[in-house]
Amino acid sequence: MLETVFRAEDLPVADRFEAWREYLLKTHVPVELSSEHESDFRVTDRVLSLGSVAVRSMDAPAVTVTRTPKLVRQSDPEAYQVSLLCQGSIDVIQQRGRTDFRETHHPYDLVLLDSSQPNESRVRTDEGKTSLTGFSVLVPKALLSVPADSVDRLLARRMPGGEGVIALLYQFIARLTTGTAAYGPADGPRLGTVVVDLLSAALAQVLDAETADSLTPEARRRTLTLRIEAFIQQNLRDPRLAPEVVAAAHHISVSYLHRLFQERGISVAASIRSRRLERCRADLADPAMATVSVHAIAARWGFTDAAHFSRAFRREYAMAPLEYRRKEHPVIA
């Protein structure tokens, strides 16, 4: 996975805004930029290249981003730009045909723009704040599983987040952009596929299009699996978490749940156990958890039987939990 980072504060003050403009030309669709803070522009802009998909996180002052008709004619990657603000707001104007669509978007809303049509985004900071934070995704149109005419109806339209698949998309991108060290070069395209599937599902949910078969069967199955995995991750601490509970929460049979996981080469129970063991391993290696007993760490992640936990940990990591802790922190142990 390729990651590039731009930090304005690494440059002389007079060069910052122009340098960021040039950086955007390389990592984004061509746009015009303006800001009241050009004379002392402070921005941190990180971009992850996930195959054909680009994900960026940004901390910046208020700025206006304009894609003019001339820029559209000069260069069009035929992509959708998705924005998810954490802090701040966006006033968006998206041209479609001869009509301009205008909408104000707030934190956790999903904002969708089309690179093939002129648009303008006036990104504003919250009152009393000097910067805004958020994520954006650049996705080739051809990759989405939702029909283009349906997606067009959502351009510049406010799609509230905070729950449903939009929230899941936000959580995935937030985690992805803050934990890049865990991924290798080969993971980029796979993670890009996950982003596309979640975005397709989010748009389909807004359109209430799942029942209209707006998603392909394969994309529907992958999206369901992603929801299930997110559910498992969020409920690892619950000792009652089991295949029956997971299936009931998603209104599917246990046998269908098992079939979904067979395609991934792991059983549901094994996936739950592996995730719990990994959380326990991380806690045992954490100096801040050094005073917490091994039994308490196991219970924290859903293991109610200390002997069972010890056996499972030894099978997974070829050593007992306490032995692992001593290996990681011999002085503390």
Side-chain angles (χ1 to χ4, degrees):
M1 178 168 56
L2 178 64
E3 177 180 7
T4 59
V5 181
F6 178 91
R7 294 185 180 86
E9 294 184 0
D10 294 340
L11 301 171
V13 174
D15 299 338
R16 292 175 180 176
F17 190 76
E18 186 58 35
W20 184 56
R21 186 199 306 272
E22 293 177 1
Y23 177 76
L24 279 184
L25 285 175
K26 300 175 183 177
T27 61
H28 191 64
V29 298
V31 291
E32 293 182 353
L33 301 171
S34 62
S35 174
E36 296 178 355
H37 307 277
E38 290 185 26
S39 60
D40 184 17
F41 202 74
R42 300 174 183 269
V43 59
T44 299
D45 188 349
R46 299 172 61 242
V47 180
L48 304 180
S49 296
L50 310 177
S52 300
V53 177
V55 174
R56 77 190 316 128
S57 62
M58 188 183 302
D59 187 322
V63 64
T64 297
V65 183
T66 306
R67 184 152 168 78
T68 65
K70 181 179 179 180
L71 290 174
V72 172
R73 291 192 299 271
Q74 289 177 346
S75 174
D76 181 17
E78 295 190 0
Y80 291 116
Q81 180 192 339
V82 180
S83 297
L84 292 160
L85 278 183
C86 310
Q87 180 180 289
S89 61
I90 310 178
D91 294 326
V92 171
I93 304 173
Q94 169 73 72
Q95 184 174 319
R96 194 173 78 199
R98 296 185 177 181
T99 305
D100 286 344
F101 292 82
R102 301 169 182 262
E103 189 72 81
T104 297
H105 304 264
H106 303 286
Y108 310 109
D109 290 351
L110 190 153
V111 185
L112 184 68
L113 297 175
D114 182 354
S115 71
S116 302
Q117 299 287 349
N119 57 68
E120 180 177 278
S121 299
R122 299 171 184 171
V123 192
R124 297 179 284 113
T125 58
D126 293 332
E127 186 175 353
K129 301 289 185 179
T130 58
S131 65
L132 56 95
T133 58
F135 310 106
S136 70
V137 183
L138 197 64
V139 179
K141 296 178 183 179
L143 295 184
L144 287 188
S145 301
V146 182
D149 57 346
S150 296
V151 176
D152 285 348
R153 302 207 309 268
L154 300 177
L155 295 177
R157 174 177 154 188
R158 182 166 180 254
M159 292 178 270
E163 60 183 18
V165 187
I166 293 179
L168 187 57
L169 173 65
Y170 173 88
Q171 292 164 9
F172 181 80
I173 291 175
R175 183 171 181 180
L176 178 65
T177 54
T178 55
T180 56
Y183 306 110
D187 294 321
R190 290 192 287 266
L191 293 168
T193 298
V194 174
V195 171
V196 171
D197 287 343
L198 283 173
L199 176 59
S200 295
L203 299 179
Q205 186 179 62
V206 174
L207 292 162
D208 195 24
E210 290 236 13
T211 55
D213 294 326
S214 182
L215 291 175
T216 65
E218 176 61 23
R220 189 188 304 280
R221 189 161 55 251
R222 288 200 302 261
T223 300
L224 174 59
T225 303
L226 288 169
R227 290 177 183 169
I228 291 170
E229 289 184 338
F231 177 84
I232 290 173
Q233 197 71 27
Q234 292 166 2
N235 291 275
L236 283 178
R237 296 175 185 268
D238 188 347
R240 297 167 298 177
L241 185 65
E244 295 77 14
V245 174
V246 175
H250 293 84
H251 311 290
I252 59 176
S253 67
V254 175
S255 59
Y256 183 61
L257 174 66
H258 285 311
R259 287 201 299 275
L260 287 174
F261 273 71
Q262 283 172 359
E263 295 174 3
R264 305 175 75 85
I266 188 172
S267 70
V268 184
S271 178
I272 294 172
R273 182 174 60 252
S274 178
R275 291 166 185 261
R276 283 174 168 165
L277 287 171
E278 173 55 29
R279 290 302 185 96
C280 291
R281 185 205 62 76
D283 282 355
L284 289 169
D286 186 353
M289 301 287 288
T291 59
V292 181
S293 70
V294 171
H295 174 71
I297 287 175
R300 183 173 184 244
W301 294 109
F303 289 103
T304 57
D305 185 321
H308 169 70
F309 165 69
S310 185
R311 289 193 299 270
F313 192 94
R314 184 183 290 274
R315 283 195 301 269
E316 187 80 8
Y317 300 109
M319 64 182 70
L322 187 56
E323 183 183 359
Y324 178 83
R325 171 178 267 177
R326 288 170 175 162
K327 171 179 171 293
E328 292 294 308
H329 303 291
V331 176
I332 295 176

